[in-house]
Amino acid sequence: MTRLSRSGPLLLVTGGVFILLGLALAVGGIWLMALGGSWYYLLAGLGLVATGALLALGRTLALWLYALVVLASTVWAVVEVRLDWWQLLPRLDVWFILALWLWLPFVNRRLGPVDAAHRAVPDGSLRGGRWALGISVAIALVVGVVSLFRSPHDHPGEVAAARMRATGTAPAPLTRPGDWIAYGHSGYGDRYSPATQITPENVDQLEVAWTFHTGDFPGPGDPEEIANEVTPLKANGMLYLCTPHNIVIALDPDTGREIWRFDPKINRDAKNYQHMICRGVAYYDSGAYAAQAAAMGLPADRALAAAASAPTPAGAVAPTAIKVDTCPRRIFAPTADATIVAINADNGQPCRDFGDNGVIHLYNDQPVKKPGFLNPTSPPTVTRHVLIASASVTDNASTDEPSGVVRGFDVDTGRLLWNFDPSEPRQHQPLPPGQTYIRNSPNAWSVFSVDEKLGLVYLPMGNQTPDIWGGRRDPNAEQYSSAIVALDIATGRVRWVYQSVHHDLWDMDVGGQPTLVDLDTPAGKVPAVVASTKRGDIYVLDRRDGHLLVPAPERPVPQGAAKGDHVSPTQPFSALTYLPERRLREADMWGTTPYDQLICRITFRKYRYEGIFTPPSVQGSLIYPGNYGIFDWGGIAVDPVRKVAILNPSYMAFVSRLVPREKAQAAEGGGSEQGLQPMKGTPFAVDLHPLLSPVGVPCQAPPWGYLAAVDLVTMKKVWMHKNGTIQDQAPFGIPLPLGVPSLGGPMVTAGGVAFLSGTLDSYLRAYDVRTGKKLWQARLPAGGQATPMTYLSDRTGRQYVVVMAGGHRSLGTRIGDSLIAYALPKQR
């Protein structure tokens, strides 16, 4: 009897699919190997091609061979990433589906020999192949199920019970217990409320108390980087907020009813706006400041020097006598066209006796006055006698930018008292007529913190733009870039400076507001400043003189800057850090299937990467952590009674590729911080973008975002849990709990509950401070890229938690205009 091999359309098509998939994998595998990468993809591709050929020929050996491919792939995947479900999934998903297809009887029964009459001939090889394929699939399934119940990236822990029971009054000067009078709650920037009504036991009962719609949406000509990042203030019996177009609104804190609205009518047609953002406003109450300052033992007169400050240097500017104040309670609001507007907090009318008819013009004495190039996105800082203001400049546009000068104004009159220009730090007095500040000096774009008793203001410093190439930076200003700088409130004189990145070429500035907290140390109670940074290190310093309380030794870093530039030989590395424990590897590349993961591996191998501080290059350098930072402008929250910090680290890799000037003539400034940036005045433009796969998912494996806690007594990490889902990025809204980046900061309460809204999925969540367990979440109608706040009602004592759900267009979250307040149900 003649035996023939069976075949047919189904096997031919199936075999053809296997061959095409195998060829694609093998070709990519050869490319990856040529770059020094894994051999797996070539071998797996050849296995698929051979399986496809055998299927097309109707040979049962196809089942045996593919069983070997599945088994070998499972072993290889476990060796590479161990039992990590989300890492195993893209390595095995396609192979698992193909194996199930082959295992189906109506497919595999067509394999094997037939006689001349085309009748099936009994074949033990077919039965054995089915068993082999089934066993390999079963092994892969068991590996997947076991890994599904593991959480290799979570780090459980608990704050000590004694610490959670700690009681006391937080040293938060100039703050009423039920109010939230500054961006970070008080000048200390701790984002902590002493309110105790909401607890881990009842937080799951929170419900919407009211919703207010600002009515402010993006319009024609607005930049890509438009976002609603506001944290409202609660003071003077009202709630105060600003919108992306700098409209200031006062609300009733119990109902959300609008009381007044002030529109500064900014120039919305400026073509060079890189941002359209307002993170908040500042509040000033002259009577409350005087009373509370007296309670702190500070002098009540109008002398500007605080009691604990060093003697005022000769030449310091004394204030004028106080005139009758028509606005004893004020809102100071920044605008995108570089002004600070003073508004009567009672009725929303301009304070005409302040500054220039109610306005401070930040373009005054600037060497560059291009519209949109100077933009205060964060609120100014209020002290008893001095209003301190600065602004961001356009990142990576050119070397011809406004000065990053920080200025102190008389809080009552708006008269300029002093200036701190990092390029001329010894020149404190207002400039003579006709002179200007130094162009392009480093700027301080985020929120400042103040210690009135020490008489110091703490600046989180940005970089000297452009961020990515620094061959022509001002040597005098370099020491103030990416640093924490303490200035004398009275004079603007530098009291101390600590630099977190030397000669920053990575946009790793100090984005978050420094947090002030008093710490118990072996040497006694020490007034400290805790500064989070984009690079992931947290620097803890004595806020009196800037000396380190947590070691940060200098370590060598990669060298080899682009032509005309240099790299610092060392950088400081804090012992308290959220830097990844190891550098990225090829095995850390991710995807949805083996194919986009292969492309990510090839991409990873193509770029220069030697760990953190790999210099930008024409080749293209992998920057990890990326320039969005591990910690950004949201900063951290600190419970000053329990001495616990709550943090939301994010992890996203970016690519920084320098483009020689002759190839980048089309690069223009403004509009976004991603894509091709011109860096005019340097030999290069720069292409900045996240490391993404061809289907738009991160090449770097999840998790990408966490919530974490630090014990500020031991300076040890307590717990760290991945946080957030890809519900608003995944097809069909599947809420896979991968852990996503967050933009915006946490808030913590004396009730033992922390809140965060900034994740890329649109939720406000509550967590147990003790363990980090998620206790409650509420779906938001738009992105919550803002820091939530909480306050107590003056009328009822009811505690509210408020968040802006306004979205962030450059992050792709839904845009909205909803300010939402949550509270426990009213007692009946």
Side-chain angles (χ1 to χ4, degrees):
M1 179 181 294
T2 303
R3 293 194 177 188
L4 305 172
S5 293
R6 276 189 293 178
S7 190
L10 182 62
L11 289 182
L12 288 174
V13 170
T14 300
V17 169
F18 270 73
I19 290 171
L20 290 176
L21 290 174
L23 287 174
L25 202 68
V27 170
I30 292 171
W31 190 358
L32 180 61
M33 285 173 53
L35 295 170
S38 172
W39 286 62
Y40 164 77
Y41 294 89
L42 172 60
L43 297 176
L46 294 176
L48 287 175
V49 170
T51 300
L54 291 169
L55 287 170
L57 294 172
R59 302 294 177 83
T60 58
L61 185 58
L63 299 180
W64 289 90
L65 179 58
Y66 193 64
L68 179 61
V69 170
V70 173
L71 180 61
S73 296
T74 303
V75 172
W76 166 78
V78 171
V79 169
E80 266 213 326
V81 297
R82 300 184 180 178
L83 296 177
D84 183 341
W85 164 258
W86 294 111
Q87 283 265 47
L88 292 172
L89 186 64
R91 287 167 166 80
L92 299 175
D93 52 4
V94 172
W95 312 153
F96 188 81
I97 292 170
L98 292 176
L100 290 180
W101 173 255
L102 291 185
W103 201 57
L104 293 173
F106 81 89
V107 176
N108 62 56
R109 72 186 177 190
R110 300 171 187 271
L111 295 170
V114 296
D115 59 19
H118 297 285
R119 292 173 300 190
V121 176
D123 184 9
S125 177
L126 177 60
R127 187 180 304 110
R130 288 170 177 166
W131 274 103
L133 187 59
I135 291 171
S136 68
V137 169
I139 291 172
L141 186 61
V142 168
V143 167
V145 170
V146 171
S147 66
L148 190 59
F149 290 95
R150 297 182 74 253
S151 300
H153 302 286
D154 270 19
H155 303 282
E158 292 188 8
V159 176
R163 192 75 59 76
M164 291 302 299
R165 292 193 298 268
T167 59
T169 302
L174 307 175
T175 306
R176 292 178 55 191
D179 283 357
W180 191 285
I181 68 164
Y183 175 82
H185 179 248
S186 73
Y188 273 29
D190 50 23
R191 280 158 284 280
Y192 166 83
S193 170
T196 58
Q197 194 176 112
I198 298 171
T199 67
E201 291 70 36
N202 63 23
V203 67
D204 62 344
Q205 300 175 39
L206 285 177
E207 59 185 20
V208 175
W210 54 258
T211 300
F212 173 76
H213 296 283
T214 68
D216 190 16
F217 287 93
D222 281 342
E224 178 66 21
E225 184 85 5
I226 187 168
N228 214 327
E229 298 177 352
V230 66
T231 296
L233 305 185
K234 159 60 167 60
N236 193 33
M238 300 185 206
L239 211 61
Y240 300 101
L241 67 147
C242 58
T243 72
H245 294 102
N246 306 122
I247 299 168
V248 181
I249 304 171
L251 305 178
D252 184 310
D254 288 285
T255 65
R257 177 182 60 86
E258 183 174 320
I259 298 173
W260 57 255
R261 174 180 294 232
F262 176 85
D263 187 349
K265 301 186 184 302
I266 64 171
N267 174 15
R268 298 192 183 188
D269 297 325
K271 299 298 186 289
N272 292 309
Y273 284 135
Q274 190 171 64
H275 311 277
M276 193 67 75
I277 290 169
C278 184
R279 296 191 182 95
V281 297
Y283 174 74
Y284 174 69
D285 183 336
S286 58
Y289 265 71
Q292 294 181 20
M296 292 168 58
L298 296 174
D301 60 28
R302 286 288 296 151
L304 285 176
S309 298
T312 302
V317 179
T320 55
I322 302 177
K323 54 187 174 181
V324 176
D325 192 352
T326 58
C327 292
R329 290 165 296 279
R330 300 177 180 182
I331 296 297
F332 293 108
T335 71
D337 48 7
T339 70
I340 303 294
V341 182
I343 308 164
N344 190 317
D346 296 336
N347 56 31
Q349 297 301 307
C351 296
R352 301 294 184 186
D353 58 350
F354 178 84
D356 179 11
N357 200 30
V359 176
I360 291 172
H361 299 279
L362 298 182
Y363 270 118
N364 286 350
D365 300 326
Q366 283 284 1
V368 177
K369 299 181 184 292
K370 298 176 185 176
F373 271 57
L374 191 68
N375 185 344
T377 56
S378 298
T381 298
V382 168
T383 70
R384 289 183 301 138
H385 304 310
V386 184
L387 175 71
I388 305 167
S390 63
S392 67
V393 302
T394 304
D395 283 338
N396 295 317
S398 73
T399 57
D400 188 24
E401 302 286 321
S403 169
V405 63
V406 177
R407 283 172 276 196
F409 301 88
D410 187 297
V411 74
D412 292 304
T413 68
R415 190 168 66 89
L416 180 63
L417 301 175
W418 53 257
N419 36 246
F420 165 65
D421 185 339
S423 291
E424 283 286 359
R426 293 170 295 182
Q427 174 62 49
H428 310 299
Q429 299 180 43
L431 299 180
Q435 289 191 17
T436 62
Y437 301 113
I438 307 299
R439 68 183 63 232
N440 218 46
S441 56
N443 65 96
W445 56 269
S446 190
V447 186
F448 307 160
S449 300
V450 293
D451 185 329
E452 295 265 18
K453 198 164 187 178
L454 290 177
L456 296 178
V457 57
Y458 303 90
L459 316 180
M461 293 296 296
N463 214 339
Q464 182 171 359
T465 192
D467 296 313
I468 313 301
W469 190 86
R472 297 174 186 167
R473 289 181 183 162
D474 178 2
N476 294 325
E478 278 270 75
Q479 64 177 312
Y480 300 107
S481 287
S482 301
I484 303 105
V485 177
L487 300 183
D488 189 297
I489 294 173
T491 66
R493 180 174 62 88
V494 176
R495 292 280 291 274
W496 58 261
V497 57
Y498 180 84
Q499 189 170 57
S500 64
V501 180
H502 311 316
H503 194 65
D504 186 355
L505 302 177
W506 305 270
D507 195 13
M508 291 295 166
D509 45 14
V510 185
Q513 180 184 20
T515 297
L516 311 186
V517 60
D518 295 339
L519 298 179
D520 295 314
T521 72
K525 189 173 291 293
V526 174
V529 55
V530 182
S532 59
T533 63
K534 284 187 180 182
R535 57 172 290 186
D537 277 8
I538 299 172
Y539 296 92
V540 185
L541 307 109
D542 187 319
R543 66 177 183 263
R544 296 169 295 189
D545 56 19
H547 82 263
L548 285 165
L549 299 176
V550 173
E554 296 278 338
R555 298 178 187 167
V557 294
Q559 298 296 292
K563 184 178 180 180
D565 206 348
H566 69 278
V567 178
S568 172
T570 64
Q571 296 287 355
F573 285 81
S574 176
L576 180 56
T577 183
Y578 278 84
L579 274 174
E581 294 180 357
R582 55 173 174 77
R583 65 175 61 179
L584 284 177
R585 307 167 300 164
E586 180 194 317
D588 294 318
M589 295 301 101
W590 200 59
T592 57
T593 69
Y595 293 91
D596 55 325
Q597 185 188 59
L598 171 58
I599 295 173
C600 282
R601 285 179 179 249
I602 292 170
T603 303
F604 174 81
R605 288 286 182 177
K606 284 170 55 180
Y607 291 125
R608 179 182 177 185
Y609 179 62
E610 301 159 38
I612 189 172
F613 298 121
T614 299
S617 63
V618 174
Q619 171 187 348
S621 295
L622 185 61
I623 308 301
Y624 181 65
N627 60 300
Y628 271 14
I630 293 179
F631 303 108
D632 203 353
W633 53 263
I636 64 175
V638 169
D639 183 328
V641 177
R642 299 181 176 105
K643 301 295 189 289
V644 174
I646 305 297
L647 317 90
N648 56 318
S650 298
Y651 298 91
M652 288 290 292
F654 267 66
V655 173
S656 178
R657 183 175 66 88
L658 296 173
V659 181
R661 176 62 52 204
E662 61 273 13
K663 298 181 180 180
Q665 294 303 317
E668 297 293 338
S672 176
E673 292 185 75
Q674 295 184 29
L676 190 62
Q677 309 290 299
M679 297 205 302
K680 293 178 181 178
T682 77
F684 303 98
V686 64
D687 179 17
L688 295 171
H689 59 268
L691 184 67
L692 301 178
S693 81
V695 297
V697 302
C699 276
Q700 164 203 341
W704 305 296
Y706 294 83
L707 194 75
V710 168
D711 185 325
L712 292 176
V713 174
T714 64
M715 296 299 167
K716 301 295 184 183
K717 299 175 184 176
V718 180
W719 48 257
M720 182 170 172
H721 303 299
K722 63 182 181 179
N723 186 50
T725 73
I726 61 169
Q727 177 173 348
D728 293 314
Q729 288 78 40
F732 313 112
I734 303 172
L736 299 177
L738 299 185
V740 294
S742 53
L743 191 62
M747 177 264 290
V748 66
T749 71
V753 181
F755 293 87
L756 179 71
S757 65
T759 50
L760 294 186
D761 59 347
S762 299
Y763 283 95
L764 172 65
R765 293 184 172 92
Y767 312 85
D768 189 330
V769 171
R770 182 176 61 91
T771 64
K773 178 184 177 182
K774 184 182 72 176
L775 302 171
W776 168 86
Q777 65 180 22
R779 183 73 165 152
L780 300 175
Q785 281 68 56
T787 302
M789 53 83 75
T790 187
Y791 61 90
L792 298 178
S793 165
D794 293 340
R795 295 197 288 268
T796 66
R798 194 180 188 195
Q799 183 180 353
Y800 294 87
V801 175
V802 175
V803 65
M804 170 55 71
H808 198 294
R809 196 156 71 179
S810 65
L811 291 181
T813 59
R814 184 189 296 271
I815 296 296
D817 72 332
S818 302
L819 187 73
I820 307 174
Y822 299 87
L824 297 173
K826 291 182 178 179
Q827 298 296 320
R828 297 184 184 276

